[in-house]
Amino acid sequence: MKKLKLKALDLGAKELLSREQLKNILGGDGSDDGGSTGISDGCAADKVAACKDKNEGNSCCFYYQGHRYDGLCRKYAPNYVNHCSDLN
């Protein structure tokens, strides 16, 4: 895959973000209901991160495509990685 080279534009920004900070920016089309983005309510951005440092059976929550899901930490085949499952 070809790597893009981008020039810094002078758009009046007060500070430039680092590469790591840019990775944490979430985009959108403005169609959400104004609810939480998952950053302030303690929910993780993905299923595996939601159960990091938690035991199987602990409650968890994560965001997927802008929607919040609540569940329990579970381990399923084939890899048995602890992740948040919204299955009953």
Side-chain angles (χ1 to χ4, degrees):
M1 183 182 299
K2 185 176 180 180
K3 199 171 192 179
L4 294 175
K5 297 222 181 232
L6 302 174
K7 294 190 296 184
L9 299 176
D10 184 17
L11 300 175
K14 300 219 184 259
E15 73 178 88
L16 294 176
L17 298 178
S18 70
R19 183 176 293 272
E20 286 303 311
Q21 289 172 317
L22 287 170
K23 289 179 182 178
N24 294 321
I25 294 175
L26 301 175
D29 60 4
S31 64
D32 72 349
D33 59 3
S36 176
T37 62
I39 295 170
S40 64
D41 67 358
C43 289
D46 65 67
K47 293 179 176 189
V48 174
C51 289
K52 183 178 181 187
D53 301 325
K54 291 187 178 182
N55 294 321
E56 190 170 8
N58 289 145
S59 62
C60 55
C61 60
F62 65 96
Y63 278 86
Y64 180 71
Q65 294 184 343
H67 298 284
R68 177 186 165 140
Y69 294 91
D70 293 286
L72 298 174
C73 293
R74 298 283 186 216
K75 295 179 182 179
Y76 295 112
N79 57 7
Y80 296 97
V81 172
N82 203 22
H83 69 279
C84 191
S85 173
D86 61 331
L87 302 174
N88 290 328

